Amino acid sequence: MPRPPLASLDRGPAVNWLLMDLNAYFASAEQQARPELRGKPVAVAALDTPNTVCIAASYEARPFGVKTGVKLSEARRLCPELVLVEARPKVYVEYHHKILAALERCVPVSQVLSIDEAACRLTGLERWLPNALAIAQAVKQELRGVGEVLRCSIGLAPSRYLAKVASDMQKPDGLTVLLESELPQALFKLALRDLPGVGPRTEERLRHKGVHTVEQLCAFDRDGLRRLWGGIWGERMWHWLRGADFDMPESERKSLSRQHVLAPEHRSRAAAFPVVQKLLHSAAAELRRLDLWTGDLAVKVKFLGGDIDRRGAPLGYAERKDWHAHRRLAPCRDSFQMQSILAELWKDCPEAKPLLVAVALSDLTASADAPPALFTPAGEQRATRANAVMDDLNRRFGAQTLLPASLQTVRNAARPAIGFRRTPEVEDLE
């Protein structure tokens, strides 16, 4: 049902944005790919270990209290019939591209916000409400053509911000319209946390200042909301809540990171190091793909309770400390140089039982802004060529076609994941 015919209207209510939010996406994708899971309570997690958290839960699991962020041990206690599925990022990315193609058949996609969200700016006759509703229904129909159990909630609103709010108001399979003439009163029934930009800390701060409801928030004038927020965000929020159609400018990327919850066999200082190396290898490859350079390399480890310190003394939960270290760099994107620096930093990692490892590259600079080098040593020239060959082969034949020898033992560990606002390419998941 691509591109529904549009009525020739020139008056009446109008909206500027359509936002599609896929419902329980990872769990629904698994139920679509594996029909035997349909109708069952399903949780998706990176690993099948008690301390791992659910990264998605099907709607059949949610009445039991199983939701994103719940530990698997607790999820199984809440729902003994729960079916655990280990995450398969490649499946989700493949469906993601099929879904975007289906959306494009109905309306042009303006912004892909994440693997399960996309926003479409409506123009011309698309803006008039009957036409916008017809487009939304066409999107739902096209989505069913991709997968019969895949569902989405759609928000129609004057701004992208409010379209996101509207998409969350009715799940699953919802279609909600917010019109400028109904604002801000149509938002009064929402909780503060239903507003994008109001997280746990902001909500706590607002409550401390006597603001407990969206209605109370909307009672402030523009200057008052700016003072309440302590900055320009409050003024922007005032406009957004009243339907103003503008977005925050896209900020420059400040960091690039990877993290991984270790499988039991990698929960030692020695066994964790190759996993950390692999995370850095992945981050460095993306750095080059984005044509960026880093000026800071950091590594972090979270430990299990009951560990020992470097002198062998036991650490209780209250005394346990996460470990992190970093090193400032001249602008760099050479995997081999960064791996060498990582090895130096790792010497100070405590002899404890690691649970989670992470690396981060920050102080990023685009190639056009990087200071030119007066000369390039021969060793760096060889490393640059080696990186280029490795990147080319992995891009053409799959992300793990060519790996440094030190990473062969963890070839199947720490596979590329789907992060917040980051959807890897399918070839990265091979």
Side-chain angles (χ1 to χ4, degrees):
M1 188 179 172
R3 301 284 171 102
L6 303 181
S8 299
L9 303 174
D10 59 1
R11 62 177 61 85
V15 291
N16 295 326
W17 286 88
L18 179 152
L19 190 140
M20 179 193 71
D21 184 356
L22 297 167
N23 301 144
Y25 177 54
F26 295 168
S28 296
E30 289 291 350
Q31 289 176 318
Q32 178 61 40
R34 299 173 54 188
E36 71 273 16
L37 298 178
R38 297 177 190 179
K40 296 181 179 180
V42 174
V44 179
L47 293 171
D48 186 0
T49 60
N51 287 318
T52 304
V53 299
C54 300
I55 60 174
S58 70
Y59 279 93
E60 294 86 354
R62 296 186 183 191
F64 296 93
V66 179
K67 57 184 179 180
T68 301
V70 173
K71 286 186 176 182
L72 287 187
S73 55
E74 176 67 6
R76 285 185 165 125
R77 186 191 67 79
L78 292 170
C79 180
E81 302 300 317
L82 187 70
V83 180
L84 173 69
V85 177
E86 290 197 18
R88 299 188 293 165
K90 183 181 177 183
V91 172
Y92 315 145
V93 172
E94 288 174 343
Y95 274 120
H96 166 78
H97 290 297
K98 292 177 183 177
I99 291 166
L100 286 183
L103 181 57
E104 280 277 3
R105 288 195 288 270
C106 301
V107 61
V109 176
S110 302
Q111 295 166 310
V112 178
L113 304 177
S114 66
I115 195 167
D116 61 353
E117 283 186 329
C120 308
R121 178 180 283 281
L122 304 178
T123 61
L125 294 177
E126 296 170 341
R127 297 178 56 250
W128 302 110
L129 187 57
N131 290 333
L133 289 169
I135 293 170
Q137 293 294 352
V139 170
K140 288 177 174 288
Q141 189 63 35
E142 283 292 307
L143 181 59
R144 286 176 174 82
V146 176
E148 58 189 288
V149 300
L150 297 177
R151 295 290 183 270
C152 69
S153 290
I154 292 178
L156 297 171
S159 68
R160 195 190 77 176
Y161 180 90
L162 287 180
K164 169 58 181 169
V165 173
S167 72
D168 288 333
M169 291 175 69
Q170 184 184 353
K171 289 187 174 182
D173 205 22
L175 173 53
T176 303
V177 180
L178 290 174
L179 296 175
E180 188 172 4
S181 60
E182 300 170 347
L183 298 171
Q185 290 79 8
L187 306 175
F188 289 173
K189 60 184 176 182
L190 301 178
L192 289 171
R193 288 284 294 278
D194 292 332
L195 299 177
V198 180
R201 292 183 181 178
T202 301
E203 182 184 37
E204 182 180 354
R205 182 161 51 84
L206 292 175
R207 292 187 184 281
H208 183 70
K209 294 182 179 182
V211 179
H212 301 274
T213 67
V214 173
E215 184 172 1
Q216 290 174 322
L217 190 69
C218 291
F220 284 82
D221 62 18
R222 183 176 56 190
D223 292 337
L225 205 54
R226 179 170 182 150
R227 288 192 298 271
L228 178 70
W229 233 270
I232 188 64
W233 187 271
E235 186 172 340
R236 289 175 176 144
M237 183 68 76
W238 186 90
H239 287 289
W240 280 330
L241 295 176
R242 286 156 180 79
D245 185 15
F246 69 93
D247 290 319
M248 292 280 287
E250 293 292 332
S251 58
E252 294 182 359
R253 188 157 196 169
K254 295 181 174 61
S255 65
L256 196 159
S257 62
R258 298 285 190 275
Q259 70 175 32
H260 180 68
V261 177
L262 296 165
E265 63 268 24
H266 294 131
R267 291 179 184 174
S268 69
R269 182 175 178 273
F273 182 54
V275 178
V276 182
Q277 287 182 297
K278 186 175 181 182
L279 296 178
L280 180 58
H281 174 78
S282 170
E286 184 175 0
L287 194 75
R288 293 189 293 271
R289 185 165 60 245
L290 297 174
D291 200 18
L292 297 173
W293 301 73
T294 181
D296 190 282
L297 165 61
V299 56
K300 180 177 181 179
V301 181
K302 291 187 176 183
F303 300 103
L304 287 166
D307 295 317
I308 57 175
D309 65 17
R310 288 182 62 81
R311 298 169 295 179
L315 285 174
Y317 282 98
E319 302 170 49
R320 176 178 59 82
K321 300 291 184 183
D322 298 334
W323 175 80
H324 60 87
H326 81 102
R327 177 76 57 83
R328 293 289 302 166
L329 311 172
C332 176
R333 58 180 178 185
D334 173 18
S335 290
F336 304 101
Q337 181 181 347
M338 285 189 275
Q339 296 280 10
S340 177
I341 293 169
L342 177 66
E344 293 179 21
L345 295 174
W346 193 256
K347 293 176 182 177
D348 292 326
C349 180
E351 286 283 1
K353 196 169 184 180
L355 174 64
L356 179 145
V357 291
V359 296
L361 305 177
S362 56
D363 191 17
L364 303 186
T365 307
S367 281
D369 300 323
L374 294 178
F375 65 92
T376 304
E380 288 188 23
Q381 293 177 12
R382 288 193 294 271
T384 299
R385 290 195 295 271
N387 283 314
V389 170
M390 184 166 56
D391 292 344
D392 182 58
L393 287 173
N394 289 335
R395 184 166 49 249
R396 291 166 59 191
F397 302 110
Q400 301 197 99
T401 300
L402 185 60
L403 287 175
S406 60
L407 305 185
Q408 294 299 327
T409 59
V410 290
R411 173 174 286 274
N412 295 320
R415 289 186 172 275
I418 299 167
F420 179 67
R421 299 191 185 284
R422 175 183 172 268
T423 303
E425 296 299 325
V426 173
E427 55 266 27
D428 294 339
L429 302 169
E430 297 291 349

